């Protein structure tokens, strides 16, 4: 399998949760607090053990994991006021090849895993000078709280929009690392990146 989830019960009852991506592409991996053995609760705290960020979730635990990468969380029942609402930003493609001046499309999806609804999510593309981007919408509103378990029906906890990105006609033929940022919940932000290869067509 290209994706796997492992969990270990810690001495105080918390769970260490690992999300492993064995594939050659970035991918979103998700599990839930109940699936890793925690008791039912109104919300959960999930600490990212790689960067120390403390998240709050309704029950789902997930991350966009780089190729052959591993995300690790410490998960417990309850929440702290200092914990940030957990959300996932995902892109339809992690690598594209285009000619100078040629447009490419990218679907951006924002998924709310926290136990509170999220409004005014702003999507920003971080591009080199002279690059252009356009979208049907740059702001999401009324994104519902996330479900507690995987496969919950009628969940309105995500939103997506289509973007067009176009390098300038004089863009140098090389590899460009581009970023996408979602800003939400009082200055909270999450980021994803993708690669664009500029090649001259024969």
């Amino acid at each position: 399998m290209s994706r796997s989830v492992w969990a270990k019960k810690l001495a105080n009852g918390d769970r260490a949760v690992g999300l492993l991506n064995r594939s050659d592409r970035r991918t979103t991996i998700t599990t839930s607090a109940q699936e890793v053995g925690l008791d039912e609760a109104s919300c959960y705290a999930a600490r990212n053990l790689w960067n120390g960020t403390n998240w709050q979730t309704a029950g789902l635990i997930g991350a966009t994991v780089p190729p052959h990468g591993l995300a690790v969380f410490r998960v417990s029942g309850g929440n702290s006021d200092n914990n940030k609402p957990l959300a996932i930003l995902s892109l339809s493609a992690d690598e594209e090849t285009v000619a100078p001046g040629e447009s490419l499309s990218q679907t951006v999806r924002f998924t709310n895993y926290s136990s509170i609804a999220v409004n005014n999510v702003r999507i920003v593309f971080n591009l080199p000078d002279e690059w252009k981007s356009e979208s049907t919408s740059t702001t999401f509103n009324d994104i519902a709280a996330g479900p507690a378990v995987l496969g919950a029906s009628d969940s309105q906890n995500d939103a997506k929009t289509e973007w067009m990105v176009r390098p300038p006609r004089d863009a140098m033929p090389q590899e460009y690392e581009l970023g996408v940022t979602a800003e939400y919940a009082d200055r909270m932000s999450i980021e994803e990146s993708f690669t664009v290869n500029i090649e001259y067509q024969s």
Side-chain angles (χ1 to χ4, degrees):
M1 295 178 60
S2 62
R3 297 178 291 178
S4 61
V5 176
W6 58 261
K8 177 180 176 61
K9 185 176 181 180
L10 304 179
N12 68 344
D14 293 356
R15 297 297 190 275
V17 179
L19 309 174
L20 177 62
N21 176 17
R22 295 187 177 90
S23 76
D24 296 326
R25 299 176 61 87
R26 298 178 71 87
T27 188
T28 300
I29 304 174
T30 304
T31 185
S32 71
Q34 292 186 34
E35 285 195 349
V36 300
L38 286 168
D39 293 335
E40 184 176 350
S42 59
C43 62
Y44 301 84
R47 180 179 177 83
N48 185 317
L49 296 184
W50 290 161
N51 59 27
T53 304
N54 293 306
W55 299 101
Q56 174 265 107
T57 172
L60 298 187
I61 305 149
T64 301
V65 186
H68 307 286
L70 174 68
V72 183
F73 295 88
R74 181 170 184 152
V75 186
S76 60
N79 184 41
S80 165
D81 290 339
N82 294 324
N83 289 358
K84 302 172 182 179
L86 178 60
I88 302 294
L89 186 65
S90 55
L91 308 175
S92 58
D94 54 14
E95 185 171 2
E96 294 279 359
T97 299
V98 296
E102 180 183 3
S103 299
L104 61 97
S105 61
Q106 185 72 269
T107 302
V108 180
R109 181 185 294 272
F110 178 91
T111 306
N112 180 23
Y113 284 177
S114 77
S115 61
I116 58 174
V118 174
N119 285 310
N120 298 320
V121 180
R122 182 169 175 260
I123 304 298
V124 178
F125 270 66
N126 308 307
L127 304 174
D129 292 341
E130 306 302 325
W131 287 58
K132 304 295 183 183
S133 63
E134 297 177 7
S135 174
T136 54
S137 174
T138 60
T139 304
F140 302 139
N141 288 300
D142 301 321
I143 301 178
V149 295
L150 291 169
S153 60
D154 300 324
S155 179
Q156 302 296 316
N157 67 310
D158 70 353
K160 66 178 180 179
T161 186
E162 300 294 329
W163 282 76
M164 181 279 297
V165 178
R166 185 174 64 250
R169 294 184 180 276
D170 60 354
M172 294 296 294
Q174 64 183 55
E175 181 178 286
Y176 295 83
E177 186 82 5
L178 308 182
V180 183
T181 302
E183 300 171 346
Y184 68 105
D186 191 23
R187 300 182 182 178
M188 183 62 208
S189 66
I190 52 178
E191 298 181 4
E192 274 302 322
S193 63
F194 66 103
T195 301
V196 176
N197 297 301
I198 302 296
E199 294 183 358
Y200 289 122
Q201 294 181 343
S202 56

